[in-house]
Amino acid sequence: MTGQPKVLHYINGRFAEGEAGVYFRNINPFTNEPINEVAEGRKEDIDAAVRAAKQAFDGGPWRTMPVEKRLRYLFRIAELIETYSDDIAYLEALDTGIPISQAKKQAARAAENFRFYAEMVKTRLVGEAYQVNGQFLNYTVYKPVGVAGLITPWNTPFMLETWKVAPALATGNTVVLKPAEWSPLTANKLAEIIDEAGLPAGVFNVVHGFGETAGAALVAHPDVRLISFTGETTTGMDIIRNSAATLKKTSMELGGKSPLIVFADADLEQALDAAVWGVFSLNGERCTANSRLLLEQSIYDEFVARLKERVDRIVIGDPMNPATELGPLIHRDHWERVNRYIEIARQEGASVHAPGVPKGLERGNFVPPTLLLNCRNDMKVAQEEIFGPVMAVMSFADEEEAIRLANDVKYGLAAYVWTSDMKRGHRVAQAIESGMAWVNSPNVRDLRIPFGGTKYSGIGREGGHYSFDFYTEVQVVHVAVGDPSIPPLGKAAPSSALSAERT
Ligand code: NAD
């Protein structure tokens, strides 16, 4: 073990081992040696966490305390995340293989998530009021939903956990978080931080464990009123199915196969920077990665030549080294899956370009940055999410074909368009079936905008005030301010026939 203590669940304000007392091993992706042991949650642990969260919601002070007071806790969590940001980045790099320089940015973003939602609740969680014909006043109020079940993936785990926990707590819900089994360390750190921030017991709970057991028990629990899920599309489908019996609200942030389109008139240097960064940062394990590169025919050869040069110079190495640009993939199983796709690409006729993995890194789950050149859009590797440092590259003849290829995929998460013709930039961006599109821009995201996908990439949007639609229930109160006329049923004079019958 590399010196990390056991990870326990965090239930009702206490760190606790599971009721069954079983643990699973957490593996370092750089060495494939165990890091530590993690409590493996089962249904009983989910039941205990939901019980605590429900008590805290129904009887505790969280949702009823003055909003300013509740938000002070969120600001405190943000401060503590900043205080511990080096530890968080270290744990994230250790657990996931994300290069430390990139993990640091993710930790900063996590603090921002708490601060942002605290401010949003103060300024934007506002109702509406309607005067109706001088007779009524109708107004809306936003209420927390109840116990929120949050299920998160292993890519950028800390940032994605805070992306859900912050709005859920800020709006007054209580939470049970089920983090991904391959990346438990920073979820545990979040529990420690929230414990230190002094939130009332039961408001925030973490149960570690596997999806099919702990995750499924959370989805099936009748006292959990909503599930916010980020992960694979097929898992999202299971969760929707399994949540139907208890009629939960669900929010689905799922997979992607996003196109980056470069027209010949684009700023090619910038487009190149964006294409390389967008798919090879975060080890390619990014839901919005531009995993399909569509190049206008006339620039294909030149762009690919420059792309190869860049790819060959990406620094592959120890995630703890600040100079590393690409680290190992999260897990051996995932490494095998990504390698299988590269083999499929060869069989399908793509030409594979990748530098070798430097000597000395054999124990880690390294896949070098890989270009699948001369792809066709109907190839499996152009259609399915690989979720690694692998980009399918193909060409197009004109705008119409670019749009057709971009849309000819089941996913619809992100899209990137590079052109100097701004009319075309807007036109193409709007023609693409994706929840989000960037024009002449890398994937930079303001927290105020809606985040999410269409088609098989998800249902619903989170981010900004859009998160309130999910994490709150809107209630309308109708008040009569005049004397509205009410149809006087039962006030008519009794008819003689009817009274005769009744006697
Ligand atoms: P995954 O679907 O395998 O697992 C995600 C989480 O779901 C884990 O916590 C897992 O334990 C849990 N889970 C698995 N089966 C479950 C079940 N039957 N019931 C309840 N919970 C269950 O996904 P992953 O491999 O961890 O993450 C990678 C995927 O996430 C990729 O497809 C990626 O595109 C997607 N992703 C999407 C976004 C987005 O915002 N659209 C962001 C990040 C990642």
Side-chain angles (χ1 to χ4, degrees):
M1 302 275 167
T2 41
Q4 287 297 317
K6 271 185 180 175
V7 163
L8 304 178
H9 308 305
Y10 182 68
I11 298 175
N12 209 15
R14 286 183 49 245
F15 288 91
E17 70 168 17
E19 287 202 16
V22 285
Y23 289 83
F24 66 91
R25 282 195 154 182
N26 183 28
I27 307 292
N28 179 339
F30 181 54
T31 60
N32 273 303
E33 283 170 1
I35 296 175
N36 64 348
E37 296 206 311
V38 181
E40 188 195 318
R42 303 272 169 90
K43 181 177 179 303
E44 313 82 81
D45 306 306
I46 288 288
D47 286 348
V50 174
R51 206 176 311 121
K54 183 156 167 49
Q55 266 167 16
F57 185 79
D58 291 343
W62 187 246
R63 77 189 155 110
T64 51
M65 69 175 60
V67 175
E68 292 287 343
K69 185 172 174 197
R70 189 165 77 221
L71 300 184
R72 272 204 295 280
Y73 284 107
L74 272 90
F75 285 119
R76 178 79 186 123
I77 296 170
E79 273 167 27
L80 288 169
I81 290 176
E82 275 161 359
T83 306
Y84 294 115
S85 62
D86 285 348
D87 296 356
I88 294 165
Y90 170 80
L91 293 172
E92 198 85 307
L94 179 70
D95 218 7
T96 65
I98 293 176
I100 189 90
S101 58
Q102 298 171 24
K104 281 187 175 158
K105 290 192 184 131
Q106 299 291 323
R109 185 65 179 250
E112 203 40 49
N113 283 340
F114 278 97
R115 214 164 264 134
F116 172 78
Y117 276 107
E119 277 159 11
M120 280 297 288
V121 161
K122 219 163 48 184
T123 55
R124 289 296 299 269
L125 191 55
V126 288
E128 296 156 297
Y130 299 93
Q131 290 168 297
V132 184
N133 298 331
Q135 291 286 309
F136 303 96
L137 180 64
N138 293 357
Y139 66 92
T140 56
V141 288
Y142 288 85
K143 301 174 169 183
V145 180
V147 178
L150 311 180
I151 303 180
T152 49
W154 45 259
N155 71 311
T156 59
F158 191 71
M159 202 285 286
L160 286 174
E161 285 148 16
T162 59
W163 168 248
K164 295 182 189 301
V165 172
L169 291 181
T171 47
N173 301 285
T174 58
V175 163
V176 178
L177 169 67
K178 207 303 279 171
E181 52 270 40
W182 286 350
S183 59
L185 294 185
T186 49
N188 183 55
K189 187 72 198 169
L190 183 61
E192 288 174 0
I193 285 173
I194 288 182
D195 193 63
E196 188 174 339
L199 266 70
V203 168
F204 175 75
N205 307 271
V206 182
V207 177
H208 297 276
F210 298 103
E212 298 72 14
T213 46
L218 187 61
V219 171
H221 201 297
D223 289 335
V224 175
R225 296 314 311 140
L226 61 82
I227 295 283
S228 174
F229 172 75
T230 299
E232 278 194 33
T233 297
T234 48
T235 315
M237 289 171 173
D238 284 343
I239 289 179
I240 291 174
R241 244 189 313 273
N242 296 340
S243 64
T246 46
L247 209 66
K248 290 180 174 55
K249 262 182 147 176
T250 57
S251 166
M252 293 285 146
E253 300 194 337
L254 310 175
K257 191 76 181 177
S258 303
L260 187 149
I261 302 173
V262 188
F263 286 95
D265 64 357
D267 178 334
L268 296 187
E269 190 57 29
Q270 283 242 302
L272 188 62
D273 286 346
V276 171
W277 179 76
V279 72
F280 298 124
S281 59
L282 302 178
N283 301 340
E285 297 161 332
R286 179 199 284 278
C287 55
T288 50
N290 44 270
S291 49
R292 288 186 301 149
L293 177 64
L294 311 185
L295 300 172
E296 192 161 1
Q297 259 160 18
S298 60
I299 56 161
Y300 185 89
D301 290 341
E302 182 201 340
F303 202 91
V304 166
R306 291 166 70 180
L307 197 53
K308 284 179 177 169
E309 275 172 28
R310 294 285 294 272
V311 159
D312 292 350
R313 291 212 298 266
I314 286 179
V315 181
I316 305 173
D318 182 346
M320 294 303 173
N321 183 339
T324 294
E325 294 175 320
L326 187 90
L329 297 185
I330 179 88
H331 195 274
R332 207 64 182 170
D333 291 356
H334 188 53
W335 177 87
E336 277 169 11
R337 182 186 131 111
V338 172
N339 277 309
R340 243 189 337 266
Y341 270 113
I342 296 173
E343 196 40 49
I344 290 171
R346 284 201 181 88
Q347 288 161 11
E348 287 184 309
S351 106
V352 176
H353 176 92
V357 173
K359 284 215 164 46
L361 299 179
E362 293 75 12
R363 286 186 312 161
N365 306 324
F366 285 95
V367 172
T370 303
L371 301 173
L372 309 178
L373 300 170
N374 300 320
C375 273
R376 289 189 325 273
N377 201 50
D378 61 355
M379 288 177 176
K380 210 172 159 72
V381 291
Q383 289 289 320
E384 295 182 10
E385 185 182 45
I386 300 175
F387 216 55
V390 181
M391 181 160 62
V393 185
M394 58 201 105
S395 67
F396 63 86
D398 54 20
E399 183 179 321
E400 197 189 338
E401 189 182 20
I403 293 169
R404 188 173 56 72
L405 292 175
N407 286 338
D408 182 18
V409 69
K410 69 178 179 180
Y411 295 107
L413 190 57
Y416 309 87
V417 183
W418 287 84
T419 176
S420 295
D421 174 348
M422 277 316 288
K423 280 190 189 168
R424 176 159 67 186
H426 288 280
R427 200 162 59 227
V428 174
Q430 290 181 31
I432 295 177
E433 296 156 352
S434 67
M436 300 168 283
W438 281 263
V439 180
N440 295 335
S441 167
N443 176 337
V444 173
R445 203 168 68 74
D446 188 281
L447 290 175
R448 288 169 296 186
I449 56 116
F451 182 93
T454 178
K455 293 158 80 176
Y456 279 59
S457 289
I459 302 177
R461 298 290 183 272
E462 293 190 37
H465 66 84
Y466 297 87
S467 290
F468 297 150
D469 291 343
F470 181 66
Y471 289 107
T472 65
E473 288 287 1
V474 60
Q475 183 190 30
V476 59
V477 180
H478 304 254
V479 185
V481 292
D483 293 314
S485 82
I486 306 172
L489 295 192
K491 276 188 169 173
S495 84
S496 52
L498 194 57
S499 15
E501 255 173 45
R502 280 186 180 160
T503 50

